[in-house]
Amino acid sequence: MAIRRILIANRGEIALRIHRAAHEMGIETVAVHSTADAEAMHVRLADHAVCIGPPPARDSYLNVAAIISAAEITQADAIHPGYGFLSENARFAEIVEAHGITWIGPKPEHIRTMGDKVSAKTTAGALGLPLVPGSAGAVADAAQAARLAEEIGYPVIVKAASGGGGRGMKVVTAPDELASQFGQARSEARAAFGDDTVYLEKYLGNPRHIEFQIFGDGRGKAIHLGERDCSLQRRHQKVLEEAPSPVISADERARMGGVVAQAMAQMGYRGAGTIEFLWEAGKFYFIEMNTRLQVEHPVTEAITGVDLVREQIRIAEGRELSVAQADIAFAGHAIECRINAENPWNFTPSPGLVSGYHAAGGMHVRVDSGLYAGYRIPPYYDSMIAKLIVYGRTREGCIMRLKRALGEMVIAGVETSIALHQALLEEEDFRDGNYSIKWLEEWLRERNA
Ligand code: ADP
């Protein structure tokens, strides 16, 4: 069924990203916003806008009743959740569908299964994906954790089943720390996610974070769009992402992509998804699946030429994917820099008035952002204010262009992480593609010492 009007249940750059894809398909958009976002670009560009509550996200962007009412009032026939907020809330997806509104996302049962990291691991294992060695399911108490840790070998990591955003993880390096770290992981998980279920994994020494973009039609067909390397992280949060990964060969991409696509086909997965792996010494280890669009999706778009949001909308309409696996070719290299409103070295948030703004441009340069001169960045939400995505025929060319583009960006009035990215690009390890998930924090520690 053709969608005519999409309500975008999100804000910032991703709300704009979805609006753009919708308009290119001749579909109208409805923006919803908190009172803090009344002047936001996604609100200005949308065909309709509805205020859904005060600034705190739980009263607005997470306010299910207000969002459903907004959809009914504006006669939106579909809802796109973007990433974050309600995007991985299976109950919300069910409520949307129960109201006869098309949910632009995976089947609710798959969101639920993959949203719980313990059941996600069990499911991934059953589908033939390689796992990080660890507990077969939830770990009941510190004694069981200690037995398992002896078996697996230290160091181990205690992770929250409901964890996300890099929170709810505790590394344990020696047996005498286990009981206290286990207890802490539990109570932090309970406080942050309202669920104190935890599980145990081998803590890999120096892995890379490599994830595969997949798409399923919900009827047993699935494809992969290659991998992204997201190893540059701070506090388990991605800072810069690239595609392809500097360490994955074309053969390995085709092999592992095939394994992942086959698993998703078997599951009957619908829509966009990302399968995250840690990669060490040539081996992949599944860590989790995200049942939504990712922040870093544009690097995949840049090297494949496929508009991922357009495909999401097509699949929600019950149509076929517009591309088959054989049509997907990987050409060139793309890098995304997440630009945050924060001090580049101590990461203190820096919301406030953007007194001047100029976006980089030119060939193969994409800026996804809701910024404009005179915009006031509210203090209530995520600090990411722009994504700079640059493409080049080679990795070297991409890095040269990225340096040029970062130098053109002007975001005046607030502090941003642009200087951090500029410094990163000068590092030999980065230029050589020689980095793991530990690299950035070690580099920052040395630099700030
Ligand atoms: P979240 O859902 O919070 O993002 P993930 O399970 O995706 O949690 O893990 C986030 C990051 O934490 C990974 O990219 C990696 O840097 C680190 N991490 C997670 N599990 C392990 C592990 N077993 N060994 C080493 N690092 C890990």
Side-chain angles (χ1 to χ4, degrees):
M1 193 205 49
I3 293 170
R4 290 172 305 106
R5 187 175 294 160
I6 297 175
L7 181 143
I8 302 166
N10 216 300
R11 64 181 300 282
E13 68 86 19
I14 196 61
L16 265 178
R17 167 73 190 86
I18 296 159
H19 165 85
R20 287 172 171 151
H23 265 210
E24 289 170 17
M25 296 173 85
I27 298 172
E28 284 188 21
T29 56
V30 178
V32 292
H33 63 90
S34 70
T35 49
D37 279 339
E39 303 298 321
M41 190 57 95
H42 77 276
V43 177
R44 294 180 164 201
L45 287 185
D47 300 295
H48 309 271
V50 182
C51 181
I52 49 167
R58 64 175 179 279
D59 300 324
S60 49
Y61 297 102
L62 294 171
N63 185 341
V64 172
I67 293 169
I68 298 287
S69 308
E72 295 199 318
I73 292 163
T74 57
Q75 295 182 306
D77 48 12
I79 292 183
H80 194 308
Y83 53 67
F85 295 129
L86 294 166
S87 61
E88 291 178 288
N89 184 320
R91 187 74 198 115
F92 179 60
E94 283 165 355
I95 292 170
V96 169
E97 290 184 339
H99 282 79
I101 302 167
T102 300
W103 167 248
I104 305 178
K107 297 172 189 170
E109 74 251 34
H110 290 157
I111 300 178
R112 189 167 282 124
T113 307
M114 292 305 179
D116 179 289
K117 291 178 162 194
V118 171
S119 64
K121 266 189 101 166
T122 314
T123 307
L127 291 168
L129 300 179
L131 306 178
V132 187
S135 57
V139 178
D141 51 38
Q144 192 195 350
R147 277 196 303 278
L148 274 165
E150 279 315 319
E151 253 173 66
I152 305 165
Y154 286 89
V156 295
I157 182 166
V158 185
K159 297 169 80 170
S162 301
R167 293 178 307 150
M169 290 183 268
K170 286 268 174 266
V171 180
V172 189
T173 48
D176 59 334
E177 298 164 5
L178 186 65
S180 78
Q181 293 287 76
F182 185 85
Q184 260 192 32
R186 274 222 129 139
S187 50
E188 279 181 26
R190 194 182 313 120
F193 312 109
D195 170 15
D196 66 0
T197 312
V198 296
Y199 63 107
L200 200 83
E201 261 176 14
K202 172 91 191 148
Y203 184 66
L204 300 177
N206 219 15
R208 298 179 80 108
H209 174 117
I210 297 179
E211 58 184 35
F212 277 82
Q213 175 69 54
I214 60 90
F215 249 102
D217 70 355
R219 297 184 293 264
K221 235 188 262 170
I223 60 168
H224 76 89
L225 291 101
E227 84 286 2
R228 295 182 284 260
D229 197 318
C230 314
S231 302
L232 286 175
Q233 302 180 353
R234 178 178 165 267
R235 299 198 173 154
H236 306 303
Q237 297 235 44
K238 299 160 187 167
V239 170
L240 174 153
E241 305 96 345
E242 58 181 317
S245 166
V247 297
I248 302 297
S249 68
D251 283 354
E252 187 61 350
R253 173 170 314 114
R255 185 194 70 81
M256 197 59 197
V259 169
V260 164
Q262 169 59 33
M264 290 301 111
Q266 202 179 320
M267 201 179 169
Y269 189 78
R270 181 183 75 200
T274 296
I275 320 277
E276 298 192 337
F277 295 97
L278 294 177
W279 181 94
E280 195 169 55
K283 286 210 180 84
F284 286 96
Y285 303 93
F286 172 87
I287 46 172
E288 69 159 342
M289 174 167 186
N290 291 317
T291 52
R292 54 168 168 84
L293 194 67
Q294 303 267 108
V295 175
E296 58 273 21
H297 77 277
V299 293
T300 300
E301 297 185 322
I303 65 161
T304 61
V306 178
D307 179 333
L308 299 186
V309 179
R310 185 184 180 93
E311 294 304 318
Q312 286 188 300
I313 295 171
R314 283 178 65 101
I315 290 169
E317 288 179 323
R319 292 155 77 189
E320 295 287 313
L321 285 163
S322 74
V323 284
Q325 191 68 59
D327 303 326
I328 311 273
F330 302 99
H333 200 92
I335 300 178
E336 171 180 281
C337 294
R338 297 190 186 197
I339 299 175
N340 296 340
E342 65 190 13
N343 178 283
W345 306 114
N346 66 22
F347 306 96
T348 316
S350 178
L353 181 69
V354 177
S355 53
Y357 178 66
H358 176 261
M363 189 168 173
H364 296 321
V365 173
R366 166 175 172 182
V367 178
D368 278 18
S369 172
L371 286 183
Y372 57 87
Y375 174 67
R376 190 172 284 281
I377 301 165
Y380 311 104
Y381 312 108
D382 193 87
S383 62
M384 195 181 75
I385 48 169
K387 302 189 312 204
L388 172 63
I389 306 103
V390 167
Y391 174 84
R393 285 169 63 181
T394 62
R395 189 169 184 271
E396 296 71 41
C398 180
I399 292 172
M400 288 302 286
R401 180 169 289 132
L402 183 53
K403 280 203 211 180
R404 187 273 288 167
L406 280 166
E408 284 179 18
M409 292 291 299
V410 177
I411 303 174
V414 296
E415 291 189 286
T416 77
S417 49
I418 290 174
L420 169 74
H421 289 293
Q422 287 174 318
L424 259 175
L425 298 188
E426 299 300 331
E427 285 298 317
E428 203 175 311
D429 281 342
F430 178 73
R431 290 167 161 271
D432 294 343
N434 179 23
Y435 57 83
S436 75
I437 59 170
K438 308 272 173 75
W439 188 90
L440 181 60
E441 289 197 359
E442 276 164 22
W443 177 72
L444 282 168
R445 214 171 298 131
E446 273 172 38
R447 207 175 179 288
N448 288 342

